[in-house]
Amino acid sequence: MLSLEQHICFAVYSTAHMFNRLYRPMLDELGLTYPQYLTLVVLSEEGAQSVGSIGDRLKLESSTLTPMLKRLEKADLIIRRRDTKDERVVHVDLSPAGREILGKIPLINVAIADAIGETDEDREEIRRALVAIRDRLEAAIG
């Protein structure tokens, strides 16, 4: 049997926990949770999109995403609109206040990169390896 430290899943879990602890104070200053932060990043990259598209990018179910989007809308950081042709589809875009918050994101990115250390190339190699593992796990789930 593998020890706790030999489990890849524990290394990923405990690293994610440390990331959350590092991000939390910076995001608290912006009034954001980590998933809310990621949602704003997705919207900044791709512009207005459907709830389903955001869920696909973030690997989140609609039942998790919808309440979070409602909180972001209540905080005036996003705008949600029903599709005029298909009312089942909801489109989401950044509000002016959401765009303003995004201006503070580079400071967070620098702080995280500094905490991780390594070179840009090393961080990119680590990111690629993690994404490859994630994608294989997703494929195994079906």
Side-chain angles (χ1 to χ4, degrees):
M1 184 165 168
L2 296 174
S3 72
L4 181 63
E5 293 303 323
Q6 291 174 309
H7 281 80
I8 292 173
C9 58
F10 179 69
V12 171
Y13 167 80
S14 58
T15 301
H17 181 67
M18 290 301 117
F19 269 112
N20 286 335
R21 288 182 59 190
L22 184 59
Y23 269 100
R24 186 171 292 123
M26 293 180 277
L27 294 177
D28 282 351
E29 286 182 28
L30 301 177
L32 296 173
T33 65
Y34 185 69
Q36 289 172 334
Y37 159 76
L38 294 178
T39 300
L40 295 181
V41 169
V42 166
L43 290 170
S44 74
E45 289 177 352
E46 300 178 12
Q49 56 197 285
S50 70
V51 171
S53 176
I54 296 169
D56 289 345
R57 279 293 307 279
L58 296 178
K59 311 291 187 206
L60 292 175
E61 299 291 325
S62 178
S63 60
T64 301
L65 190 56
T66 299
M68 180 184 55
L69 292 173
K70 286 181 179 179
R71 287 189 296 277
L72 285 170
E73 183 179 42
K74 187 175 181 181
D76 194 34
L77 298 177
I78 64 166
I79 300 163
R80 294 185 318 142
R81 292 189 182 99
R82 292 218 173 264
D83 190 284
T84 55
K85 295 177 184 160
D86 184 349
E87 289 195 7
R88 296 172 296 177
V89 177
V90 176
H91 295 282
V92 181
D93 199 1
L94 289 168
S95 70
R99 291 183 200 290
E100 185 177 323
I101 276 192
L102 284 172
K104 299 173 183 173
I105 299 303
L107 298 174
I108 293 174
N109 294 336
V110 168
I112 298 300
D114 287 348
I116 294 171
E118 310 295 334
T119 65
D120 290 345
E121 293 80 18
D122 291 338
R123 284 191 300 274
E124 179 57 22
E125 185 178 331
I126 293 165
R127 189 199 65 75
R128 276 196 306 266
L130 289 170
V131 167
I133 292 168
R134 181 202 63 206
D135 291 348
R136 287 192 298 270
L137 292 171
E138 188 174 37
I141 292 168

